[in-house]
Amino acid sequence: MPSFDFKLGLSVGSYVGLLVAFASALLRDTGLSEPPVQAAGVLTCLLVGGAFARRPSLAEPVVRYHVPSVTLAVHVGGLLALLALDAGNGPEAAHPLVFPFILSALAGVVAFVLLRDRHVQTVFGGETARVSWFGGPHPRTVRRMRIVAVLAAVMVIAFPLVIFTLLPHRLGWLESTRAWGLLAEVAPSIIGGVLGASIGTFLMPDRDRRLTVYDDGIVVQNGRSGLRSTLSWWYVRGYELTDREFVVHTWFPLQAYRFDRAHFEQPDRVAGILDEYAPAVDATLL
């Protein structure tokens, strides 16, 4: 049994089993710790996970019709709707489905990522790649990314000191506004997210990736985990070939796939192939 299919079956089985456990708990009006509820979840996990692990072809119709994307959208939309309905009643009146939605969405992320990887095999598995290369950014880019990470960390640490310490003394009416209350609620999440991303960027800025060009798009494969994702041509802003790097830019700000030019035996050939799908663009800040 291939290890990838085993992981796929385990993730999908765990996700579906968790949903069945939640449904059983709601029908029986009990908690998740009850033995019948746990038994239903574990049994479903074994049955569904075993089927997906033993029959990888089951994943093909699931990924071909974008079931993981639809499921993720339902989770996000449903969770936002539940939170909006209870927004005026305070946290003590939260809808009972909020926690199941959050927990099942977290479990579904693993299944989504692995099914996304199978989606790449399904869509591009029978096609011939135009060109493929592997590598990471130039050392100068690594230094710049670390500088940006440090600046972002400093700003996110200074942000609460300035906003929550100085402003209330100078503008006393701020604390009574609804906007100030919302800012105080979301600020810890924003600060923690930016700080975590800055630490990750500083520790591992030189992430190696493999890019494979097909007629329908680009497949991006992470060098450490091996997970792959698709990059459609409409999302590619263009490519850039400099003396130091070969860069594939996207329309999302600051998101680019950078490779040290020393990794390429024929950079002009790669640029010529990409020129058929995306235009050449100017350099950016990073």
Side-chain angles (χ1 to χ4, degrees), residues 133 239-241 245-248 257-259 264 267 270-271 274:
W133 68 92
Y239 73 92
E240 177 188 356
L241 181 60
E245 290 184 311
F246 189 92
V247 190
V248 177
Y257 300 94
R258 296 180 172 274
F259 301 88
F264 292 93
V270 174
L274 279 181

Side-chain angles (χ1 to χ4, degrees), residues 12-234:
V12 175
S14 300
Y15 173 61
V16 179
L18 184 61
L19 293 181
V20 170
F22 277 126
S24 302
L26 291 175
L27 292 176
R28 295 174 59 89
D29 196 19
T30 59
L32 288 176
S33 59
E34 295 295 324
V37 174
Q38 292 185 354
V42 172
L43 182 61
T44 304
C45 174
L46 294 176
L47 292 177
V48 176
F52 269 82
R54 299 288 296 181
R55 295 287 185 269
S57 58
L58 291 175
E60 182 172 347
V62 174
V63 300
R64 186 171 292 279
Y65 294 104
H66 301 283
V67 174
S69 302
V70 174
T71 306
L72 189 63
V74 169
H75 269 94
V76 175
L79 183 59
L80 292 176
L82 293 175
L83 293 176
L85 290 175
D86 296 328
N89 300 326
E92 66 279 358
H95 197 282
L97 286 179
V98 170
F99 177 72
F101 260 84
I102 294 176
L103 195 57
S104 58
L106 293 177
V109 165
V110 179
F112 176 82
V113 171
L114 290 175
L115 281 172
R116 180 70 174 171
D117 195 48
R118 178 54 61 88
H119 175 74
V120 174
Q121 293 182 348
T122 302
V123 174
F124 296 105
E127 298 182 9
T128 302
R130 294 293 306 274
V131 68
S132 179
W133 68 92
F134 178 83
H138 190 272
R140 188 186 68 167
T141 301
V142 173
R143 291 192 296 269
R144 291 184 176 184
M145 292 176 67
R146 282 179 169 159
I147 292 173
V148 172
V150 171
L151 292 177
V154 171
M155 290 178 62
V156 81
I157 293 174
F159 174 80
L161 297 177
V162 175
I163 297 297
F164 295 104
T165 304
L166 299 179
L167 286 184
H169 293 290
R170 296 182 177 274
L171 303 174
W173 54 268
L174 270 179
E175 293 183 325
S176 61
T177 62
R178 176 61 178 165
W180 181 264
L182 292 174
L183 179 62
E185 292 179 6
V186 302
S189 299
I190 297 175
I191 293 171
V194 175
L195 189 59
S198 299
I199 295 174
T201 302
F202 183 82
L203 294 178
M204 293 186 300
D206 53 341
R207 291 166 292 183
D208 290 336
R209 292 186 176 92
R210 176 175 293 279
L211 262 66
T212 306
V213 177
Y214 295 91
D215 287 334
D216 295 331
I218 297 177
V219 174
V220 183
Q221 181 175 354
N222 190 291
R224 288 184 171 87
S225 65
L227 293 176
R228 291 168 291 181
S229 60
T230 56
L231 193 67
S232 301
W233 287 116
W234 61 264

